[in-house]
């Protein structure tokens, strides 16, 4: 047989799949015996009914530990298990624009995937090498005045949005998706309430859906799907970045991603550490967050929401994420209660790359406004009681005079997108008058 014919037959031959069986089910995890099992490989469990996909997450003396990608109902002892011999791959490409996918990249909108314009890529990937990253130097207009004026975002920056529940986080994400100067928007809704998914798509995202890809894993989804949803959205964003496009990636929330990793880690036998989070959580966070940023051609500007328990900015996930990212925006419940939208606590928020992306005049004006807000907050209780007397503090007097102009600049209806140049011009004028 000639070599060409042999190569053709080998290419068309069906490869053998490693096979095994289910040994036990413990909590949310499965123990299976499977020769040649590897971490990250996908399995198919031939249970009663439809086959159940699962992923290998660890090993112990009894065999491989797998987490199901669905409900365990119907799984029994000695059910056959087959390995695909490969990790999860997800679709990526322009054919996904305007689509809603589940955590594994499969359609949720009851429409088939297009046959053209897609590539299948691994959901997990290594971050780009540090020396291949271009520096963040170009500002990215968001359409939200408080961010453009006081915490200017750079193209390729990674920012945390720290907030409790009910302070306007989803509304702000929708405003950013509609107003940001990006070619593509990728949104991951991780552990979101099922009721709020439709509301976010219709009310918050709106017309921006046509240039967006939305990945959804609701709170009732298996832990592995919630974990994979953030990785799938990042893989899709990476594909657009590598094609030279400017991508805005929004993950809501990184806290629920960490909680899903906690479930997987504990099921795999890891010991709990900081507030019940096993060590794998604090390894998974930088592995995910470092995948975004500048590439050799395009960029991923990433916004990760962080759920802070009772405003505790020092709880483990908030503290870890804040140390990895390039800036943080804090939403304040008290401001939200006063009808202040967006409820950004200016003097608790910052952008670490703003000095690279803004002019010296812009930076000086932003510092002036921060000083005025700090002076007003220092005497706000006295002012509210009518106990403050004009002339007692020069900075407070200036802040009182400037407060109507500050509110006009920083308060913004959710449906309004503001131009970057107009925002900066208004900030410079305010600083000139009251600085």
């Amino acid at each position: 047989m000639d070599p060409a014919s042999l190569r053709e037959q080998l290419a068309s031959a069906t490869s053998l799949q490693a096979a095994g069986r289910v040994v036990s089910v413990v909590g949310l995890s499965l123990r299976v015996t499977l020769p040649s099992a590897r971490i990250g490989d996908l399995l198919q469990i031939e249970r009663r009914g439809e086959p159940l996909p699962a992923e290998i997450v660890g090993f112990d003396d009894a065999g491989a530990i797998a987490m199901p990608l669905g409900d365990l109902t119907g799984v029994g002892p000695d059910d056959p298990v087959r390995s695909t011999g490969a990790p999860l791959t997800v679709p990526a490409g322009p054919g996904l624009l305007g689509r809603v996918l589940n955590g594994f990249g499969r359609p949720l909108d009851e429409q088939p995937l297009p046959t053209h314009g897609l590539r299948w890529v691994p959901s997990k990937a290594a971050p780009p090498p540090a020396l291949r990253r271009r520096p963040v130097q170009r500002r990215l207009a968001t359409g939200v005045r408080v961010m453009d004026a006081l915490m200017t975002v750079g193209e390729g920056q990674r920012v945390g949005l720290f907030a409790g529940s009910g302070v306007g986080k989803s509304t702000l994400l929708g405003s950013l998706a509609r107003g940001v100067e990006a070619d593509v928007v990728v949104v991951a809704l991780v552990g979101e309430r099922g009721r709020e998914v439709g509301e976010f798509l219709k009310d918050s995202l709106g017309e921006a859906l046509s240039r967006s890809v939305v990945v959804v894993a609701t709170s009732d989804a298996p832990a592995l799907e919630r974990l994979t949803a953030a990785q799938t959205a990042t893989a899709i964003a990476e594909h657009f970045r590598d094609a030279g496009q400017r991508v805005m990636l929004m993950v809501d929330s990184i806290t629920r991603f960490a909680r899903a990793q906690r479930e997987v880690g504990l099921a795999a036998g890891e010991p709990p550490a900081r507030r019940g989070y096993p060590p794998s959580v604090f390894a998974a966070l930088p592995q995910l967050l470092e995948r975004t940023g500048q590439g050799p051609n395009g960029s991923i500007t990433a916004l990760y929401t962080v759920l802070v328990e009772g405003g505790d900015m020092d709880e483990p996930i908030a503290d870890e994420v804040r140390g990895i990212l390039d800036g943080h925006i804090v939403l304040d419940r008290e401001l939200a209660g006063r009808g202040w939208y967006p409820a950004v606590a200016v003097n608790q928020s910052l952008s670490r790359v703003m000095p690279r992306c803004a002019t010296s005049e812009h930076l000086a004006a932003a510092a002036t406004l921060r000083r005025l807000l700090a002076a007003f907050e220092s005497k706000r209780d006295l002012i509210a009681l009518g106990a403050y007397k004009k002339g007692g503090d020069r900075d407070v007097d200036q802040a009182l005079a400037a407060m109507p102009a500050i509110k006009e600049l920083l308060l913004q209806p959710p449906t309004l997108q503001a131009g970057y140049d107009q925002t900066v011009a208004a900030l410079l004028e305010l600083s000139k008058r009251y600085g």
Side-chain angles (χ1 to χ4, degrees):
M1 181 180 294
D2 63 275
S5 177
L6 179 60
R7 283 194 296 268
E8 185 178 337
Q9 290 191 36
L10 287 173
S12 62
T14 303
S15 59
L16 293 175
Q17 292 182 323
R21 63 184 182 86
V22 174
V23 175
S24 65
V25 175
V26 180
L28 300 176
S29 64
L30 298 131
R31 265 59 172 183
V32 301
T33 59
L34 190 67
S36 303
R38 296 292 183 268
I39 296 290
D41 281 0
L42 283 184
L43 312 177
Q44 287 289 340
I45 299 169
E46 303 296 333
R47 62 175 174 177
R48 185 176 59 202
E50 293 184 356
L52 173 68
E55 180 179 322
I56 297 176
V57 298
F59 299 94
D60 61 14
D61 295 338
I65 303 170
M67 291 292 292
L69 306 185
D71 188 11
L72 283 168
T73 301
V75 175
D78 294 327
D79 279 349
V81 176
R82 298 189 183 278
S83 173
T84 64
L88 175 70
T89 58
V90 297
L96 294 181
L97 294 177
R99 302 299 301 273
V100 183
L101 311 175
N102 67 12
F104 309 123
R106 295 350 181 222
L108 277 179
D109 50 11
E110 300 180 354
Q111 298 293 326
L113 289 173
T115 55
H116 301 288
L118 292 182
R119 283 183 56 200
W120 290 82
V121 298
S123 64
K124 298 178 183 177
L131 295 183
R132 293 185 60 195
R133 298 173 182 262
R134 292 177 292 122
V136 177
Q137 294 178 322
R138 178 181 173 185
R139 56 91 176 157
L140 183 74
T142 65
V144 177
R145 286 195 294 253
V146 65
M147 293 178 62
D148 288 341
L150 301 178
M151 50 214 72
T152 305
V153 174
E155 188 178 307
Q157 183 178 358
R158 300 162 304 160
V159 184
L161 181 62
F162 294 75
S165 58
V167 294
K169 170 174 51 66
S170 296
T171 305
L172 180 56
L173 291 180
S175 297
L176 288 168
R178 294 191 303 272
V180 69
E181 287 184 347
D183 301 317
V184 179
V185 177
V186 181
V187 182
L189 301 178
V190 181
E192 190 62 85
R193 303 177 188 91
R195 172 186 61 81
E196 294 186 347
V197 173
E199 294 175 0
F200 178 83
L201 294 175
K202 181 181 178 181
D203 301 332
S204 299
L205 203 55
E207 295 180 357
L209 180 60
S210 62
R211 62 164 180 165
S212 304
V213 182
V214 182
V215 180
V216 177
T218 52
S219 59
D220 61 317
L224 205 56
E225 181 174 354
R226 285 178 272 130
L227 183 65
T228 304
Q231 297 165 341
T232 295
T234 304
I236 294 170
E238 286 171 328
H239 176 82
F240 286 112
R241 176 187 63 187
D242 295 343
Q245 295 186 289
R246 296 183 300 167
V247 185
M248 182 70 183
L249 171 66
M250 296 188 288
V251 178
D252 182 21
S253 70
I254 201 66
T255 304
R256 297 191 184 110
F257 168 85
R259 291 172 181 170
Q261 178 62 46
R262 175 172 61 184
E263 292 181 42
V264 172
L266 294 177
E270 282 190 82
R274 297 167 59 187
R275 292 203 190 176
Y277 288 100
S280 65
V281 172
F282 302 101
L285 286 171
Q287 288 172 358
L288 178 70
L289 303 180
E290 288 288 353
R291 290 171 63 180
T292 57
Q294 293 277 32
N297 299 310
S299 64
I300 301 175
T301 306
L303 181 69
Y304 301 95
T305 68
V306 184
L307 302 175
V308 289
E309 302 172 2
D312 182 9
M313 292 290 290
D314 295 321
E315 62 93 21
I317 302 305
D319 186 53
E320 189 75 15
V321 170
R322 191 168 61 247
I324 298 171
L325 300 181
D326 308 315
H328 52 270
I329 299 168
V330 179
L331 299 186
D332 184 79
R333 187 176 301 279
E334 186 177 350
L335 283 176
R338 299 206 299 263
W340 188 292
Y341 178 85
V344 176
V346 169
N347 288 326
Q348 298 180 45
S349 308
L350 64 87
S351 168
R352 291 193 176 101
V353 304
M354 184 175 176
R356 293 177 173 268
C357 305
T359 64
S360 57
E361 294 82 7
H362 183 175
L363 293 171
T368 296
L369 196 151
R370 287 177 178 271
R371 175 177 57 81
L372 293 174
L373 282 174
F376 180 84
E377 287 298 320
S378 69
K379 296 291 192 294
R380 189 168 64 83
D381 290 341
L382 292 177
I383 294 169
L385 292 171
Y388 176 77
K389 302 299 181 183
K390 187 176 180 181
D393 188 307
R394 180 176 178 275
D395 285 345
V396 176
D397 292 343
Q398 287 180 319
L400 282 171
M403 192 52 61
I406 291 175
K407 287 184 177 180
E408 185 178 351
L409 176 64
L410 300 187
L411 297 186
Q412 179 178 349
T415 55
L416 175 66
Q417 276 77 55
Y420 180 87
D421 292 337
Q422 292 84 353
T423 295
V424 174
L427 174 65
L428 294 175
E429 177 62 25
L430 190 154
S431 174
K432 182 179 179 181
R433 289 177 59 191
Y434 300 104

